[in-house]
């Protein structure tokens, strides 16, 4: 027998219409590329989102069309999130830190129809526009007075909105309709697209709200340093309106002093981002001799939060929530919102618990398996590859049958590529990554891509790119190479050779010559052995 309850589709547009009604005074505060601080409430935002939705339809955007953004965190980017998915199109957020090659790949792969760009990133597009679809329409996210000279024939964002009606009859779509697209970089070259739906996005917001609601009181200020171009800023553009939070958007000013000033001025309660950004903020707090006013909570994720960082925040009464997740998981899988028994532990033991990646969010199941796929116990000792399952996790990749096939195991679980243990209280500990990606400043660098590019140099016979620890960037790539002959090009020469395929920050920090690379039993380079060999190595800027 079935229950007799209404079935209403879960729609992203409902989040904003709810916020406009239930939290009419909460604000989105944005550091703008125009140089000032801009404020607007959720009702004002809904009116502008409606105008934008009309404008998108006026430009021929229909159900399922991809509309791209290349932008900082700000109210216009937030408006695009809601207007694009609200009309049934797909909001494709692009990471401006991608190499030109990757950017060209994903815009073409996604078949974007419109591309909205912040003034800052116009030159990036100008440099690659000949390789982007010819009929792509560009829109610069500013007003007429601030439109930059450009060769894109770009439209002006504010002019698109002018004169459009301030309300919109949001369609009730199938809740499985695609709403957002975010590409993740893989080990083997081309980025892969995680395609979110209305249902997965609304559920993610509700599930995260169920864990974090108690730490984020209505009317509090929350600051996403995590970008809207990387996994939907960990879902904050959806959770913040639900909870009636003020969203404080930092734009491009992400250095410690700028963040401090903004947080202090807006009395930010909770700030979210990767460990790297908090290093800068902690240095500024030290210089100022006090934390920003109102600062009480920080969510750290994207890579492991160092224990010393957690300790530094907790000592100034800023509670650390250590979260783990992936682009493919919308992204939050676990969160370090602590049960009472942990809060009562002695300080050092409490920090130890916070250095783990917390417990799973309801709706996300976790399993760890050995090399043969056998489940391992959750006893805190057994280590295995971490698999996840749930309504907020991808079932495959956008237009990529090969990658989709590999992503899901026979029981329907998604393989994360992370190596982890889980204890009997449900706490996750990420031990390592099974793949050898290098994570610098919260962004991935593919070691295989680096190796392929380096190997195309005639002086190099074989090479391996491995991650070396760095206090600011977490990790930086180093190239270990076997020469083909007597010629040993300098690091700068290798950069010149490789720069065509990579953004500057992705290039290796050092080049080390060796006679041979260690091999595994199956004849592959053993990076594990390499890491052991270079355990005492220090990067050039740390010597
Ligand atoms: P991305 O899809 O770029 O967000 O990267 C996801 C990957 O980042 C995960 O598979 C982990 O390897 C890593 N990661 C994310 N959060 C954490 C964390 N709290 N601790 C350790 N690694 C993390």
């Amino acid at each position: 027998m079935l229950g007799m309850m209404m079935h209403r589709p879960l729609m992203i547009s409902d989040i904003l219409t709810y916020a406009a009604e239930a939290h009419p005074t909460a604000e989105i505060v944005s550091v703008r590329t125009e140089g000032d601080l801009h404020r607007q409430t959720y009702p004002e935002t809904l009116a502008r989102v409606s105008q934008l939705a009309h404008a998108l339809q006026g430009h021929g955007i229909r159900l399922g069309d991809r509309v791209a953004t290349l932008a900082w965190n700000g109210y216009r980017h937030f408006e695009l999130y809601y207007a694009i998915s609200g009309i049934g199109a797909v909001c494709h957020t692009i990471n401006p830190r991608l190499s030109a090659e990757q950017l060209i790949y994903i815009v073409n792969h996604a078949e974007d129809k419109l591309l909205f760009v912040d003034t800052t990133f116009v030159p990036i597009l100008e440099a690659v526009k000949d390789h982007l679809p010819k009929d792509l329409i560009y829109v610069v996210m500013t007003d007429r007075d601030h439109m930059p000279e450009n060769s894109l024939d770009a439209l002006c964002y504010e002019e698109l909105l002018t004169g459009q009606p301030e309300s919109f009859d949001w369609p009730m779509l199938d809740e499985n309709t695609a709403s957002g697209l975010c590409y993740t970089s893989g080990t083997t070259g081309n980025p892969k697209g995680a395609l979110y739906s209305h249902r997965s996005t609304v559920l993610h917001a509700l599930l995260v709200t169920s864990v974090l609601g108690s730490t984020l009181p209505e009317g509090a200020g929350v600051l996403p340093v995590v970008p809207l171009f990387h996994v939907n800023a960990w879902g904050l553009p959806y959770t913040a309106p639900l909870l009636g939070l003020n969203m404080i958007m930092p734009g491009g000013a992400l250095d410690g002093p700028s963040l401090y000033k903004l947080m202090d001025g807006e009395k930010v309660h909770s700030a979210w981002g990767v460990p790297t950004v908090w290093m800068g903020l902690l240095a500024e707090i030290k210089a100022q001799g006090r934390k920003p006013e109102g600062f009480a909570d920080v969510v750290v994720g994207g890579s492991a939060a160092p224990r010393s960082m957690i300790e530094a925040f907790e000592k100034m009464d800023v509670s650390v929530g250590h979260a783990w997740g992936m682009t493919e998981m919308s992204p939050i899988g676990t969160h370090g919102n602590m049960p009472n028994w942990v809060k009562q532990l002695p300080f050092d033991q409490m920090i130890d618990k916070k250095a783990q990646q917390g417990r799973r969010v309801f709706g996300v199941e976790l399993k760890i398996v050995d090399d043969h796929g056998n489940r391992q116990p959750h006893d805190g000792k057994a280590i295995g590859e971490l698999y996840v399952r749930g309504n907020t996790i991808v079932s495959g990749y956008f237009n990529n049958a090969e990658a989709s096939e590999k992503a899901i195991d026979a029981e329907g679980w998604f393989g994360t590529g992370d190596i982890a243990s889980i204890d009997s209280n449900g706490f996750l500990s990420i031990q390592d990554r099974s793949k050898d990606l290098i994570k610098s400043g919260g962004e991935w660098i593919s070691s295989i891509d680096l190796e392929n590019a380096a190997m195309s140099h005639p002086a190099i016979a074989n090479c391996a790119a491995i991650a070396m620890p760095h206090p600011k960037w977490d990790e930086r790539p180093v190239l270990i190479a076997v020469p083909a002959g007597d010629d040993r090009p300098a690091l700068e020469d290798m950069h010149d050779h490789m720069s065509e395929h990579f953004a500057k920050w992705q290039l290796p920090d050092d080049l080390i010559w060796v006679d041979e690379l260690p091999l595994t039993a199956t004849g592959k380079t053993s990076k594990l052995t390499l890491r052991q060999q270079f355990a005492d190595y220090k990067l050039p800027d740390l010597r």
Side-chain angles (χ1 to χ4, degrees):
M1 184 161 49
L2 298 178
M4 293 175 62
M5 304 302 289
M6 290 185 191
H7 181 92
R8 303 282 298 155
L10 300 173
M11 288 284 100
I12 289 174
S13 52
D14 281 339
I15 295 178
L16 189 57
T17 49
Y18 166 78
E21 274 179 46
H23 307 294
T25 56
E27 289 181 320
I28 301 175
V29 181
S30 311
V31 175
R32 297 208 294 182
T33 51
E34 288 90 339
D36 57 354
L37 199 60
H38 172 275
R39 327 180 79 90
Q40 71 185 26
T41 62
Y42 287 123
E44 286 163 350
T45 304
L46 179 60
R48 283 173 54 86
V49 168
S50 302
Q51 292 183 304
L52 182 56
H54 286 290
L56 289 171
Q57 287 191 333
H59 275 87
I61 300 301
R62 299 286 176 263
L63 194 69
D65 285 345
R66 271 79 68 198
V67 177
T69 66
L70 189 65
W72 298 115
N73 290 4
Y75 67 108
R76 293 187 183 112
H77 205 172
F78 180 99
E79 289 163 2
L80 283 159
Y81 264 53
Y82 280 90
I84 296 168
S85 53
I87 62 169
V90 180
C91 181
H92 170 206
T93 51
I94 303 176
N95 186 336
R97 295 179 194 138
L98 293 176
S99 68
E101 198 175 40
Q102 289 166 328
L103 181 76
I104 292 166
Y105 171 82
I106 68 168
V107 174
N108 283 292
H109 186 262
E111 298 176 61
D112 295 320
K113 292 241 161 68
L114 287 178
L115 200 165
F116 287 78
V117 57
D118 261 338
T119 50
T120 326
F121 302 127
V122 168
I124 294 182
L125 292 179
E126 289 184 314
V128 298
K129 74 171 192 315
D130 292 344
H131 304 280
L132 301 182
K134 295 284 165 275
D135 50 358
L136 183 62
I137 298 172
Y138 302 89
V139 184
V140 180
M141 296 160 67
T142 189
D143 55 30
R144 178 51 59 190
D145 289 348
H146 293 90
M147 280 292 281
E149 290 271 321
N150 69 85
S151 58
L152 302 171
D153 273 340
L155 305 173
C156 165
Y157 185 95
E158 291 301 326
E159 285 178 0
L160 281 192
L161 269 62
T162 306
Q164 299 287 358
E166 293 187 0
S167 66
F168 194 92
D169 192 9
W170 299 106
M172 277 295 130
L173 308 162
D174 180 326
E175 63 180 8
N176 293 308
T177 302
S179 60
L181 178 62
C182 182
Y183 280 78
T184 174
S185 41
T187 37
T188 47
N190 289 332
K192 296 173 287 191
L195 187 62
Y196 312 114
S197 68
H198 282 258
R199 174 183 156 80
S200 72
T201 305
V202 174
L203 282 175
H204 183 263
L206 292 171
L207 299 177
V208 171
T209 301
S210 75
V211 210
L212 294 185
S214 59
T215 62
L216 298 168
E218 184 176 344
V222 61
L223 176 112
V225 181
V226 51
L228 272 78
F229 58 70
H230 191 175
V231 221
N232 305 330
W234 299 347
L236 261 184
Y238 306 111
T239 36
L242 274 184
L243 291 168
L245 304 174
N246 296 315
M247 283 198 88
I248 317 301
M249 305 282 216
L254 304 176
D255 57 291
S258 305
L259 285 177
Y260 184 100
K261 189 163 164 253
L262 180 65
M263 290 172 72
D264 202 40
E266 295 299 321
K267 300 189 179 49
V268 166
H269 171 83
S270 177
W272 296 33
V274 295
T276 318
V277 296
W278 304 133
M279 304 238 179
L281 180 71
L282 281 168
E284 183 63 13
I285 291 175
K286 200 167 171 206
Q288 296 282 344
R290 67 169 178 89
K291 66 176 179 177
E293 205 182 329
F295 185 28
D297 183 82
V298 65
V299 176
V300 191
S303 54
R307 197 182 183 286
S308 58
M309 174 179 289
I310 298 175
E311 202 174 337
F313 276 126
E314 293 282 341
K315 279 191 171 151
M316 59 179 83
D317 266 337
V318 173
S319 176
V320 177
H322 190 181
W324 167 87
M326 298 182 78
T327 306
E328 289 91 334
M329 298 176 65
S330 300
I332 295 182
T334 66
H335 183 271
N337 196 7
M338 293 294 154
N340 278 336
W341 66 267
V342 173
K343 290 180 192 155
Q344 286 154 13
L345 287 174
F347 186 76
D348 273 356
Q349 289 176 35
M350 191 262 292
I351 301 294
D352 286 343
K353 273 333 252 181
K354 291 210 165 191
Q356 293 181 272
Q357 278 78 5
R359 296 169 298 165
R360 69 187 179 102
V361 171
F362 171 74
V364 176
E365 293 175 83
L366 308 176
K367 73 169 179 182
I368 45 172
V369 302
D370 66 12
D371 289 348
H372 307 289
N374 301 317
R375 283 206 198 195
Q376 299 299 297
H378 293 189
D379 59 4
K381 293 190 198 94
I383 288 173
E385 182 169 355
L386 180 60
Y387 280 74
V388 291
R389 188 165 71 176
N391 289 305
T392 53
I393 292 155
V394 293
S395 59
Y397 291 101
F398 175 61
N399 273 351
N400 191 336
E402 198 191 332
S404 297
E405 212 169 283
K406 290 188 201 142
I408 309 293
D409 77 2
E411 293 179 350
W413 296 69
F414 173 81
T416 66
D418 285 345
I419 304 297
S421 65
I422 301 169
D423 71 19
S424 56
N425 290 306
F427 279 81
L428 176 74
S429 288
I430 300 288
Q431 310 286 336
D432 199 357
R433 305 193 269 274
S434 62
K435 297 167 194 145
D436 293 304
L437 286 167
I438 299 157
K439 199 157 205 188
S440 176
E443 301 285 342
W444 292 117
I445 306 172
S446 161
S447 58
I448 292 174
D449 284 356
L450 285 176
E451 288 155 16
N452 283 339
M455 291 275 284
S456 68
H457 193 289
I460 296 207
N462 197 4
C463 71
I466 61 169
M468 290 295 184
H470 190 283
K472 178 162 183 211
W473 303 111
D474 288 338
E475 293 174 348
R476 291 293 304 148
V478 163
L479 195 65
I480 299 171
V482 179
D486 290 332
D487 185 15
R488 282 174 175 59
L491 179 66
E492 289 68 25
D493 299 330
M494 288 308 296
H495 281 184
D496 287 347
H497 179 74
M498 297 164 75
S499 60
E500 186 191 333
H501 306 290
F502 293 96
K504 203 158 171 258
W505 62 270
Q506 296 175 313
L507 293 167
D509 276 8
D510 203 0
L511 171 59
I512 301 167
W513 296 101
V514 291
D515 290 334
E516 58 180 5
L517 293 174
L519 299 180
T520 66
T522 51
K524 295 179 192 166
T525 304
S526 172
K527 292 194 177 171
L528 189 69
T529 315
L530 267 182
R531 284 195 202 98
Q532 286 161 352
Q533 285 175 357
F534 287 91
D536 296 322
Y537 169 89
K538 273 202 164 30
L539 285 159
D541 67 334
L542 304 175
R543 285 173 201 156

